[in-house]
Structures are given as C-alpha cells and as structure tokens.
Amino acid sequence: MTLQTQDIDLTACDREPIHIPGSIQPHGILLALRLSDRTLAYASANVADIFGLDPAAILGRPFAEVLPVLTREFEAPLADPPLAGTTRYLRTIGLATATGQRAYEAAVSRSGDYAVLELEETPPDSVSSLDSLYPTLRRFVEQLQGASSIDSLYHLAAQDVRRMTGFDRVLIYRFDEHWNGTVVAEDRNEALPSYLDLRFPASDIPAQARELYRRNRLRIISDANYTPVPIQSRDPAPLDLSDSVLRSVSPVHLEYMRNMGTLASMSISILRDGRLWGLISCHSKEPKRVSLQVRNACDFLTQIFSLQLEARENTSLAENRVRLGTVQTRLLAHMAAEEHFIAGLVNHPDDLMLLAGAQGAAVLTQDHCWCLGQTPGEEKVRALFGWLSRHSQEDVFATDSLSQVFPAAKAYTDQASGLLAISISKAQSSYVLWFRPEAVQTVKWGGNPQKPVQEEAGTARLHPRRSFEIWKETVRERSLPWDRSEIEAVRELRHAIVGIVLRRAEELASISEELRRSNKELEAFSYSVSHDLRAPFRHIVGYSELLKKQEGSDLSEKGRRYVDTIIDSAYTAGTLVDNLLRFSQMGRTALKPRRVDVHRMIDEVRQQLMAHAAGRRVDWVIGDLPEVTADPVLIRLVFENLLDNALKYTRPREKARIEIGSTRNDGEKVFFVRDNGVGFDMKYIDKLFGVFQRLHRMEDFEGTGIGLANVRRIVERHGGRAWAEGTLNRGAAFFVALPDETKTEGAA
C-alpha cells in the first residue's frame, strides 16, 4: 500500500493533549489535594518507593493524616496556592525516605480546584544558594549595558546561561510571524554540532506546546530515555499539568530529542508583551539535571535580557521614526507648496521612495497614474490598482510576497515582490504604492522541514525528523520585509494627506456654496434684466420700421441707412436678450425627462433649417441615432444649435457635408455632429463653450455667442458632457455624451 502524504492529518500534533499527560518525570514526586476538603486527590505512583505508601490506600484521605510532615512545612502555600499560570517556588527541604535522607526542592501551583505540590530531588553537587550565582548575574547585567548591538545581546545571553547551567549547547531561538524558529545566537562546546543560523519549521513546536511555553516559562527534561511515572487518582478526569515543573512530555518530542542527539534539554521562554518571542534552548549530549536555584537564576537572567532587548529595539525604532519623520516633513512641505498635493509627491520621487525604503513608487487616481523609480509598467500598475480597489479594505496594505496574494505579480517580481500601499480615498479609489524588488535568499533548515510519514501496523503515522543535516531552500518572489517604522511612516503620511484633502474639500464646499449663491443671484439678475429689456428693443424695432414706412420718402438716403442700422442693431440686441433670457432659464426650469426619438427629432430640425437655406448644396449623412431619456424641449435645443452652427460655418463651402451619428462608450451614448466648414484653432477650445465667446467675426458669421454655452449647460444638467474638436479651415466636430440608461438598468 502506498501512503499519500496529503491523506495524513498534518495538524494531529497540534491537538495532542500534552497538558494532561497523566504522568510526570521520575526525578520528583507530585501530590495534589482538593482545596475544598484538603484530601489527597492525585499522587504520583513513586510515593510508594519514596515514602513507602500505597497510592491506592492514601487517595481520598486528609493530606494532614497521610503526610503530616509536608502539611506542617507547606500548610500556608497549600491553603492558598497561586493563581493559574503561576508556579511558586518554595524552598529546599530534607525528607526521610525509604532509601535514606534526601533533599527536595518544593514548588506549588494551582490546577483548577486543586493545589499541586511537587518535590523535585536536588541533583548532586547542585548550587544551593543564589549567592553563588550572583557574580554571573551581575557580570551579565554589566555587559548588557555595554553591548554594541542586538546580536551581541543574543551572544551574551547564550554565553552566560551556558556558564550557569553547564549544558553542551545553548541556543537563542527566535520565532517569525509564521512561528518558524531561527537560531540567532549560540554558545557550545564540541560535544554537539552547531545550529547557528538554522531555521526550524513551526511544526517542530506545535501550537499547544507554544502556549505552554508562554504560560510556563521554564521546562527541563533531564533524560530523554526516562520512564514516565503515572499519576494515580480516583477522579476519572486527568489532572491539568500546564503549570507543573515535573510534567511528562510527549513521546514524539522525546523521539525528536533522541534523533537530535540530545538526551537532556532545558527551555526558558522569552516573552514580549505577554507574547512568546522566542526561547533560550539548552541541550546536553548526556542526561543532565539542573537545580531549581540555577533554573530560577536563568529565568531571571532571561527576563533582564528580554527587557534590554525590547529597549534596544525600541531605541532603533525611535531612531528610524525620527529619520523618517524628517523625510515626511519635507514631503508635507512639498505638498503644501503645490496647488494639488499630488504634485508635491510626484515632483519629489526621491523623498517619496525614501519614506518607505522603496526602489519604486506610484501615485494613482481614477484618471492618472504616475510611476516613479523602478516599477512595473503602467498597465500592470493599473491592474494592481484595480485589484487593490476591489479586495483591500485596509487603509494600509503591506506584503513582502505580492505574488502570493496577487498571482499576476509573478511577471514582475524583479520590480515588485514587495508592496506597501496607502489608500487616500475609498470613494475615489486613490492610492500611493511603494515597491521593493525580489531579494533571493538561501534559507538553511535544520533538516528537511517536511515531517516524514511512515506506515506502522497498517496505519500512517507522523514521525519527528530523524536527520538534522542542513537542508537548503532558495526562497524567491519575496522582498525584504517592510519595517514597522516604515509602515507607521506611510500611515502617518496618509493621515496628513487625508487631512489636506478634507481641508481642501471644506474650502471647496465653502467656495461652492458661495458660487451657488452668486450664480443664483446672477441668474435672477440676468432673468430680470433680459425680461425687462425685451419690450424696449421691440419698441425700437417697431417704431423704427414705422418711421421708415411712413416718413421714409422724406428722409435722405443717409437717413434711411441710419434707420436700417437702428433696426438691425435693435433686432440683434433683442435676439441677444432672448438668448440670454433662455440661458438664465436653464438653471431655473425643472427637467421633464422622457423617451426621445433622436432620429425623428434630428430629421425635423434638419428640415426646419433647410427651409431657410434654400439654394445651398448640403450633403447630410445621418447614422444610427438611438433613443435617449431627456427633456425633449431642451435636448431639441441642443441639436438645433449644433446643426444650425454646422450649416452656418459651412456656408463658404461649395458643397457642405454634415454628418450626424453616435457611438457607445463606458456607459454613455455619444452623439456627434461633424462638418467640413471653417473649423477653429484648438488653442481657443477653452473659449468655445463660454457665454458671449466668439471665434469668428460677427461680420462673417452672425450669432450672439450664447448657443454653445446653452448646449453645455443643458447637457450637464442631464448628467452628461460636451466637447469639440476642430482644425482651422478643415472643419469641426461637436460631441454630446449622455448617460446610457440601458447600462444603468442592467447594473441595477
């Protein structure tokens, strides 16, 4: 039968109940008494050998009757044991046993409703007092203060722990974010091989083992070949030994130790903010016992080391923050000096990249993309921008392996294996991105990191690794990781940018409100003036024509020309007033949208205009013109203006050509009117849709300069846009884009 690795539950070790093994290591005794009635509830089987007591006979009896000596010695701590998660070390006592007088180191802990007393036999020639360990601890503290780097701190801790314990090898073992462990420092003799710089997979220390390391900082295994001593009880529930100093360990771990060539080990947990940071791991080629006093001293040393390490790392972080804060200040000054903050970023790429320690950066909005330094191509950056907009809800996104979350990034790992991004605006989908290239690394593992699977008695079983020979792995598609200070710096930059954007938005809102009020007043003024001027101009035209008709025979030729000029001027002024009145009404009239047959409307407008253009040769080309939802009166005015202009400005041509058609583009229906007339110079495009703006002399082409302003205003009120393209003496094209309601309905 062939075993398939994928059929094996590789998380089985994570669920092994190592906190309730039901046994202890043989170099001590465990007794647990029920707090409610002070009776003995659990006892290790070796009380028979040590005290000559039958465990089955003493269980359930008052502890004071069974072992009065221990009751007298430890009455107070047993009556009030420490809280769960804490073990209280008491003192060393001498006890008369079946084999003579022996010294035991006592510790008490709490396990649920039980007080747990553990007596660990003192090893021969052990240190009995902290006084003898004080010189080593003092030297360690003095050397910590003079350590020049974090690496030197690691080495000092490994060196002094080995000096106090006498182990063959002491390792400083640091966990990464995935719980793989790396040996960052080592002190050893020649009895065991070096593990410096080797990495060990997270599966070597399963999750529940890491939790015990976090809760119980010290653990020792004196002999990997020991025979466990069972714990006996009348209670069917096993005793939780999470805080025990004698807890028996998993047979898998003992096999792991033997495969490693170490028969004794001791681990001291390094905690940072209550979280497991790493271990000081001690190994011996032969069985080895270490006294409780020495272990306590090592624990104390480790806590000092942890505090010093945290201080050094915080100092380094603070220095980086100050350095990056200077860069950030420069960027803020650049942004403040520009009309738009983005210019302050894209015009100073060196500072922008320096802020995150990146080799490339990009600034993106919905409409623009600026690529700076070493980045993927613009099209690839836009695709990444789209992915971030859809999938990232965080203000700051950071990864040192972009291709793992965005597979398309495999194509440009040499520019962007690492990505750091800040979202400037969720509503507008704007981002600043920083890129780091691939940093190929060779990782040395302490043996193949995959657990071997073997068949035993027809079943598949996971085994600890048997070989710890260096196993190399080349890690690709990863960049150098983003430092915490860099992530904080870009987060603060984001806050500053958002502040600028909000401030600008408030200013614009204030300006917009003022403009709205001014426009409203201007519209009212325009309406009032244009309405009031209509009658006088009509009177001027009417009375001038009456004068010409009734008194014309008495006027000289010059007088008649003067009257004609008055009539023409008053008529033009009246037309201008009518157009101005219509323009002012655009913002005051409510839209009444309905379905409009554009093709039919264009045909009606064309026939109406051609009635006034008798004798002209005009080639009309009319394409597909779909229906729209719009105000029929206003949208008709749009096309009347555009077609009238096309006829007007093709007048110098022997044969005019006017094309009307449409296209669809990104949720819009785009209509166009194209002619072969006199055209215009594109450098004046900004004037084209302005009120009273003319690009041609009135003597050449009549008009008031309001028509195209009306076109744009009507189109924008319908949620669309209008623009034009032209070439002088080669014609012009006018475009009107209206929302495609069929797209909107489909999306709904």
Side-chain angles (χ1 to χ4, degrees):
M1 180 176 65
T2 302
L3 293 176
Q4 300 295 326
T5 302
Q6 60 266 32
D7 295 334
I8 306 303
D9 183 0
L10 296 178
T11 65
C13 287
D14 292 338
R15 297 193 302 274
E16 186 180 1
I18 59 176
H19 62 298
I20 49 171
S23 60
I24 62 170
Q25 298 179 55
H27 58 277
I29 306 161
L30 181 142
L31 302 162
L33 58 129
R34 188 176 286 104
L35 290 169
S36 59
D37 58 11
R38 309 298 297 277
T39 58
L40 189 63
Y42 296 87
S44 56
N46 57 358
V47 295
D49 300 327
I50 305 300
F51 297 115
L53 299 173
D54 179 5
I58 62 175
L59 290 172
R61 292 174 55 192
F63 187 64
E65 293 180 7
V66 176
L67 290 165
V69 174
L70 295 180
T71 301
R72 288 193 301 272
E73 289 284 345
F74 306 118
E75 183 175 6
L78 287 174
D80 184 24
L83 296 176
T86 304
T87 299
R88 185 184 302 159
Y89 298 101
L90 303 176
R91 58 185 178 276
T92 302
I93 64 169
L95 292 175
T97 69
T99 57
Q101 190 75 12
R102 293 189 184 181
Y104 286 90
E105 294 166 328
V108 67
S109 60
R110 182 191 294 267
S111 179
D113 297 328
Y114 304 97
V116 179
L117 177 65
E118 295 177 88
L119 302 173
E120 183 179 349
E121 187 175 3
T122 304
D125 304 323
S126 65
V127 175
S128 59
S129 157
L130 197 60
D131 293 342
S132 58
L133 299 170
Y134 176 74
T136 299
L137 291 173
R138 179 177 178 177
R139 182 174 59 251
F140 174 70
V141 172
E142 291 172 348
Q143 289 176 322
L144 279 181
Q145 295 173 350
S148 59
S149 66
I150 289 178
D151 286 340
S152 61
L153 288 179
Y154 294 156
H155 181 70
L156 280 174
Q159 189 179 57
D160 280 6
V161 168
R162 196 171 86 84
R163 181 181 290 118
M164 285 194 293
T165 61
F167 276 97
D168 295 322
R169 179 177 62 204
V170 174
L171 311 173
I172 307 295
Y173 186 90
R174 179 174 185 171
F175 294 110
D176 65 15
E177 68 274 16
H178 304 297
W179 294 109
N180 300 311
T182 300
V183 178
V184 296
E186 174 184 77
D187 191 72
R188 67 184 182 92
N189 56 28
E190 296 303 316
L192 292 173
S194 173
Y195 280 179
L196 185 61
D197 293 330
L198 294 188
R199 184 179 296 188
F200 295 85
S203 58
D204 279 16
I205 305 179
Q208 86 281 28
R210 294 194 298 268
E211 173 56 23
L212 285 181
Y213 279 131
R214 186 197 65 79
R215 177 170 173 169
N216 193 347
R217 293 195 304 267
L218 269 168
R219 186 192 69 174
I220 187 166
I221 303 170
S222 300
D223 186 351
N225 290 317
Y226 76 84
T227 300
V229 176
I231 298 173
Q232 297 187 358
S233 175
R234 294 177 181 177
D235 192 330
L239 184 66
D240 187 336
L241 299 180
S242 296
D243 299 323
S244 167
V245 297
L246 293 171
R247 176 178 58 85
S248 188
V249 297
S250 165
V252 175
H253 182 74
L254 296 175
E255 184 180 350
Y256 181 92
M257 287 178 59
R258 293 190 291 269
N259 293 344
M260 188 188 283
T262 60
L263 291 185
S265 72
M266 184 176 82
S267 297
I268 314 159
S269 302
I270 305 171
L271 302 180
R272 294 281 299 276
D273 298 322
R275 187 174 184 270
L276 186 62
W277 179 93
L279 300 171
I280 297 182
S281 187
C282 310
H283 300 144
S284 176
K285 189 175 180 62
E286 301 297 334
K288 182 175 181 59
R289 298 265 309 282
V290 177
S291 71
L292 184 60
Q293 295 288 358
V294 171
R295 281 153 37 204
N296 284 340
C298 289
D299 181 35
F300 181 61
L301 181 150
T302 301
Q303 292 185 60
I304 296 173
F305 163 74
S306 178
L307 291 172
Q308 187 69 13
L309 180 62
E310 183 175 7
R312 287 297 180 92
E313 290 182 349
N314 286 340
T315 298
S316 177
L317 183 63
E319 290 172 350
N320 283 335
R321 284 171 174 162
V322 171
R323 177 179 59 83
L324 296 178
T326 303
V327 178
Q328 186 183 91
T329 301
R330 290 202 300 267
L331 281 173
L332 291 175
H334 298 326
M335 289 189 289
E338 300 286 352
E339 184 175 351
H340 197 283
F341 74 90
I342 287 180
L345 299 177
V346 300
N347 292 337
H348 300 87
D350 291 342
D351 278 342
L352 183 61
M353 290 185 284
L354 185 60
L355 185 70
Q359 281 71 52
V363 181
L364 296 104
T365 65
Q366 288 283 20
D367 303 319
H368 296 91
C369 174
W370 295 269
C371 294
L372 315 164
Q374 300 175 28
T375 70
E378 181 176 334
E379 184 178 343
K380 294 181 174 64
V381 172
R382 284 190 177 278
L384 176 59
F385 166 69
W387 177 82
L388 276 172
S389 300
R390 292 189 303 273
H391 294 92
S392 176
Q393 301 301 316
E394 301 297 325
D395 294 335
V396 180
F397 175 86
T399 178
D400 59 2
S401 183
L402 178 59
S403 60
Q404 285 191 4
V405 292
F406 183 57
K410 289 180 182 289
Y412 45 81
T413 55
D414 53 336
Q415 289 112 13
S417 283
L419 172 68
L420 181 58
I422 57 173
S423 168
I424 298 172
S425 168
K426 296 292 184 185
Q428 302 297 325
S429 290
S430 303
Y431 280 88
V432 181
L433 313 178
W434 289 269
F435 302 105
R436 277 183 179 169
E438 178 183 50
V440 180
Q441 302 176 59
T442 299
V443 176
K444 296 185 295 181
W445 294 90
N448 189 327
Q450 299 300 319
K451 287 187 176 182
V453 180
Q454 292 184 353
E455 184 181 3
E456 290 185 1
T459 61
R461 174 179 176 245
L462 285 172
H463 281 263
R465 287 179 288 106
R466 288 183 166 83
S467 172
F468 291 83
E469 293 294 324
I470 294 176
W471 193 86
K472 293 184 179 180
E473 177 189 20
T474 301
V475 178
R476 306 193 68 94
E477 299 178 6
R478 280 187 178 275
S479 71
L480 295 176
W482 302 99
D483 184 78
R484 193 170 93 189
S485 59
E486 294 162 345
I487 294 174
E488 289 177 356
V490 303
R491 179 178 281 110
E492 289 175 7
L493 178 67
R494 179 189 178 275
H495 292 159
I497 291 174
V498 169
I500 292 172
V501 171
L502 289 176
R503 211 160 41 244
R504 292 280 173 88
E506 290 173 355
E507 293 170 359
L508 288 174
S510 176
I511 293 171
S512 296
E513 177 60 25
E514 183 65 23
L515 284 174
R516 187 191 65 78
R517 186 184 61 78
S518 298
N519 284 337
K520 190 174 181 180
E521 291 176 355
L522 183 59
E523 284 178 0
F525 174 75
S526 299
Y527 179 82
S528 176
V529 169
S530 57
H531 184 273
D532 293 346
L533 285 176
R534 292 175 78 191
F537 281 122
R538 285 175 180 170
H539 290 161
I540 292 171
V541 171
Y543 280 111
S544 297
E545 287 180 341
L546 190 61
L547 175 64
K548 180 179 177 181
K549 181 178 180 181
Q550 293 183 359
E551 307 294 336
S553 58
D554 297 333
L555 294 174
S556 64
E557 183 65 27
K558 182 181 289 188
R560 284 193 294 273
R561 286 202 309 272
Y562 287 162
V563 171
D564 287 340
T565 301
I566 291 172
I567 292 172
D568 290 342
S569 297
Y571 182 80
T572 300
T575 303
L576 180 61
V577 166
D578 286 343
N579 287 340
L580 183 60
L581 180 61
R582 181 180 289 174
F583 182 77
S584 67
Q585 286 175 327
M586 293 298 173
R588 303 161 65 89
T589 306
L591 295 179
K592 299 175 182 178
R594 67 174 192 231
R595 298 295 291 176
V596 177
D597 184 339
V598 178
H599 199 288
R600 180 179 176 181
M601 182 185 64
I602 290 291
D603 192 54
E604 291 173 356
V605 172
R606 182 178 63 83
Q607 291 182 24
Q608 176 186 328
L609 293 174
M610 285 303 294
H612 301 287
R616 287 193 56 190
R617 296 175 60 196
V618 181
D619 182 13
W620 295 89
V621 180
I622 301 177
D624 176 46
L625 299 172
E627 290 186 346
V628 296
T629 299
D631 186 303
V633 175
L634 295 181
I635 210 69
R636 184 185 183 95
L637 185 60
V638 167
F639 286 102
E640 282 179 354
N641 273 291
L642 295 180
L643 296 186
D644 187 38
N645 280 348
L647 270 175
K648 182 194 307 182
Y649 292 109
T650 56
R651 194 182 298 147
R653 302 292 183 249
E654 182 179 346
K655 182 179 181 181
R657 186 179 191 278
I658 301 174
E659 181 185 359
I660 306 137
S662 70
T663 61
R664 291 179 187 264
N665 179 41
D666 291 336
E668 294 179 321
K669 292 177 181 176
V670 181
F671 297 90
F672 60 86
V673 177
R674 188 177 288 117
D675 64 61
N676 64 340
V678 297
F680 60 88
D681 192 330
M682 284 294 287
K683 69 182 179 182
Y684 300 116
I685 188 67
D686 292 338
K687 291 185 175 182
L688 197 61
F689 289 91
V691 181
F692 304 131
Q693 298 292 334
R694 298 177 51 85
L695 302 187
H696 302 278
R697 297 190 311 163
M698 186 175 290
E699 292 82 354
D700 297 330
F701 299 99
E702 70 281 1
T704 59
I706 296 181
L708 289 179
N710 271 336
V711 167
R712 172 166 281 180
R713 195 166 198 187
I714 291 169
V715 171
E716 289 179 348
R717 286 202 66 195
H718 281 80
R721 55 198 181 98
W723 70 98
E725 298 171 359
T727 306
L728 197 60
N729 294 320
R730 297 184 62 182
F734 289 82
F735 300 87
V736 169
L738 296 172
D740 188 348
E741 66 280 356
T742 60
K743 293 284 186 182
T744 305
E745 292 165 4

